[in-house]
Amino acid sequence: GAGVSQSPSNKVTEKGKDVELRCDPISGHTALYWYRQSLGQGLEFLIYFQGNSAPDKSGLPSDRFSAERTGGSVSTLTIQRTQQEDSAVYLCASSRSGVAGGFMGGEQYFGPGTRLTVT
Amino acid sequence: GENVGLHLPTLSVQEGDNSIINCAYSNSASDYFIWYKQESGKGPQFIIDIRSNMDKRQGQRVTVLLNKTVKHLSLQIAATQPGDSAVYFCAENRGPKAAGNKLTFGGGTRVLVKP
């Protein structure tokens, strides 16, 4: 079946520009997550959506970062006034439920990521 | 995502041998742990998970061991194959269940399988 998809796969932008990254989760998954992976680093949690609940934004590094999820499906991560330190791979994941524990439906499936380069 | 990491620890293993990848965690409140495999240019792929009320769980060719006393997690891969070459991440759920399933990832270990 179709997995998590992300677009674009690569994005090069100039410092100061805004960018939008898109995530299409697996159909029927209620939970959606955004992570960031900088060069040579592990994944850093950014934001989490679960159903119609208010998102957990605790991982967003600054107010230049925002995300929304429309209709409980597609999500867009927006970075305003991009900086060079924003360069990273942005990964989206979805899970059937938001409850911790893979065998409770909380297993997260990742998309291929969007590589963002800010010049 | 690509993991060209100058600082990634690397495990070189001969094809057919067993691999053991280790991970230390710091939060004693973490109650759920996962291992992910990430190949170059791809997102992380779930391998196996374990809850804190367990100390061992087995999958196909993989075993995860959890030692809560020393806050240590390991992944054992039996009969390592060339396709196992990747970066492996451990991840933990640090928050209460009410806080959702956000994961905290370790820095990763690169596994190179020699033919």
Side-chain angles (χ1 to χ4, degrees):
Chain A
V4 177
S5 60
Q6 293 185 245
S7 61
S9 55
N10 281 284
K11 177 70 177 179
V12 180
T13 190
E14 293 180 352
K15 177 182 174 181
K17 301 285 189 183
D18 298 352
V19 294
E20 286 189 352
L21 312 179
R22 177 187 168 105
C23 172
D24 284 84
I26 294 173
S27 178
H29 280 194
T30 63
L32 186 147
Y33 315 78
W34 282 98
Y35 294 87
R36 177 169 71 174
Q37 187 172 32
S38 300
L39 191 65
Q41 303 293 319
L43 281 73
E44 172 191 5
F45 167 80
L46 297 177
I47 188 169
Y48 157 70
F49 296 89
Q50 171 56 44
N52 296 320
S53 302
D56 178 348
K57 305 179 182 180
S58 59
L60 295 179
S62 78
D63 58 9
R64 295 187 295 105
F65 288 72
S66 63
E68 60 179 25
R69 188 179 185 192
T70 54
S73 181
V74 172
S75 177
T76 302
L77 177 69
T78 301
I79 309 173
Q80 296 178 310
R81 306 180 302 282
T82 52
Q83 304 293 313
Q84 288 186 329
E85 60 263 29
D86 299 334
S87 295
V89 176
Y90 289 81
L91 289 154
C92 174
S94 70
S95 64
R96 185 160 53 87
S97 80
V99 178
F103 26 92
M104 297 178 69
E107 176 184 328
Q108 296 183 26
Y109 295 84
F110 282 82
T114 294
R115 177 177 296 280
L116 175 66
T117 303
V118 182
T119 61
Chain B
E2 194 170 322
N3 292 295
V4 180
L6 295 177
H7 304 291
L8 276 180
T10 300
L11 173 68
S12 291
V13 59
Q14 199 69 39
E15 181 179 355
D17 288 351
N18 296 335
S19 303
I20 299 177
I21 307 164
N22 297 303
C23 181
Y25 63 96
S26 58
N27 193 328
S28 56
S30 293
D31 61 359
Y32 173 58
F33 305 87
I34 318 96
W35 281 100
Y36 281 93
K37 170 186 179 183
Q38 188 173 28
E39 297 172 282
S40 182
K42 297 182 179 179
Q45 177 186 3
F46 173 91
I47 302 174
I48 192 168
D49 58 1
I50 190 168
R51 274 205 171 281
S52 59
N53 61 354
M54 305 168 70
D55 54 20
K56 180 179 179 178
R57 192 161 187 235
Q58 288 185 291
Q60 186 177 13
R61 280 202 308 120
V62 294
T63 301
V64 55
L65 299 176
L66 175 63
N67 185 329
K68 294 180 287 295
T69 302
V70 295
K71 299 191 189 69
H72 184 267
L73 190 69
S74 68
L75 177 70
Q76 300 178 1
I77 306 173
T80 313
Q81 302 170 359
D84 295 328
S85 293
V87 177
Y88 290 79
F89 292 97
C90 63
E92 61 185 299
N93 178 278
R94 289 185 173 179
K97 292 177 183 177
N101 196 17
K102 61 185 179 183
L103 299 174
T104 300
F105 282 78
T109 297
R110 184 183 304 279
V111 172
L112 294 175
V113 181
K114 297 177 289 186

